[in-house]
Amino acid sequence: MQTFRERVLASSRKRGSRVVLALDVSGPFGQRVARATKVLELTKGSIAAVKVNFHLLLPFGLTGIRSLIDLCKGEGLPLVADMKLNDIGSTNLEVIESLLASDFDAVIANPLVGYRDGMGEVIERAHELGGGVILLVYMSHRGANEGYTLRLDGGMRLYQAFAERARRWGADGTIVSARSRAALRETRKIVGADCLIFAPGVGAQGGEAEAAMASGADFIIVGRSIIDSVEPSEEAERLRSATRKP
Ligand code: XMP
């Protein structure tokens, strides 16, 4: 059984893309699935994977987005659920079991809850089922430095401790803001070469795709600057070219 990391890297190689599309469609509920389908159809040749957030998961749930899941599966695009999972282990397990049974490939989770009775059993179970867990290390919004850069006893910053957890816990990937080159470089140093770094915050939040990749990101996550573009296919293709690795 291929791991999540192997699947997303294989998709990336096949398409020559390091772009994860955040399928964040807003507006009237009745139009969201159709709009998301259209954006996917327009961009599927330029992206490596798809991330789904509450924009779709809350109004429609896993069964209501079945056609979108099937479209991604048919195209060989790995699917990430952006739940920022943050609960006790038994509840987290319920979430991961449902997601993987519905053909999602990975979930984004918060390392703050700790390993025992928190994230440990989720990572173990996800791996047993062939799924992945991506840990939030440094978020991309402007307030991120109110929390993620706090100094802990001993002088380490919170995000460095989270990166260290990602390495120690065997997480498949991390989320690190594209807006902080220092955090990207530092996370890469801590997690090593085998843990993927996904960088959101490109475009709408001001981060630059090329700089994020040069600072250690493996993938960029992009939502609004593709979804809200007049030509989503052109924007996705532009980002694909800008972040292409040999
Ligand atoms: P935009 O429109 O800003 O959307 O390109 C980015 C997408 O990614 C999510 N996002 C994050 N997810 N950690 C995450 O796990 C982050 O630091 C982060 N920043 C943005 C956002 O919710 C949207 O789906």
Side-chain angles (χ1 to χ4, degrees), residues 76-216:
L77 287 166
L79 257 175
V80 177
D82 192 352
M83 315 288 296
K84 298 186 176 67
L85 207 56
N86 195 28
D87 213 317
I88 57 170
S90 57
T91 304
N92 292 338
L93 269 181
E94 186 62 36
V95 177
I96 189 95
E97 299 261 2
S98 299
L99 287 169
L100 297 181
S102 300
D103 298 321
F104 270 80
D105 293 274
V107 67
I108 296 176
N110 195 335
L112 189 68
V113 294
Y115 194 79
R116 277 187 300 160
D117 296 337
M119 217 42 76
E121 51 200 308
V122 176
I123 294 173
E124 283 168 23
R125 186 72 183 130
H127 288 172
E128 272 169 27
L129 298 172
V133 176
I134 301 169
L135 293 179
L136 275 179
V137 164
Y138 191 128
M139 288 187 71
S140 59
H141 61 299
R142 281 187 294 162
N145 58 9
E146 292 169 27
Y148 287 88
T149 55
L150 289 176
R151 292 248 184 227
L152 306 175
D153 284 349
M156 189 184 252
R157 292 191 188 274
L158 184 60
Y159 84 87
Q160 292 170 312
F162 286 166
E164 170 59 26
R165 286 181 186 189
R167 188 189 58 73
R168 200 159 18 97
W169 295 358
D172 304 83
T174 57
I175 301 277
V176 181
S177 169
R179 300 174 67 241
S180 177
R181 296 175 202 187
L184 283 164
R185 281 195 295 268
E186 180 64 13
T187 301
R188 175 56 74 206
K189 245 194 275 170
I190 295 170
V191 299
D194 289 342
C195 181
L196 297 170
I197 299 180
F198 295 84
V202 169
Q205 295 181 67
E208 289 167 18
E210 295 91 331
M213 298 302 285
S215 305

Side-chain angles (χ1 to χ4, degrees), residues 19-50:
V19 179
V20 176
L21 172 66
L23 205 48
D24 295 344
V25 178
S26 50
F29 286 173
Q31 295 168 18
R32 287 192 192 189
V33 172
R35 274 196 66 211
T37 306
K38 187 166 174 209
V39 173
L40 251 181
E41 290 288 2
L42 287 169
T43 58
K44 65 189 183 192
S46 306
I47 59 176
V50 174

Side-chain angles (χ1 to χ4, degrees), residues 61-63 65-74 77 79 102-104:
L62 291 170
T63 50
I65 59 164
R66 190 67 241 174
S67 62
L68 285 169
I69 296 173
D70 288 342
L71 181 54
C72 291
K73 294 293 105 178
L77 287 166
L79 257 175
S102 300
D103 298 321
F104 270 80

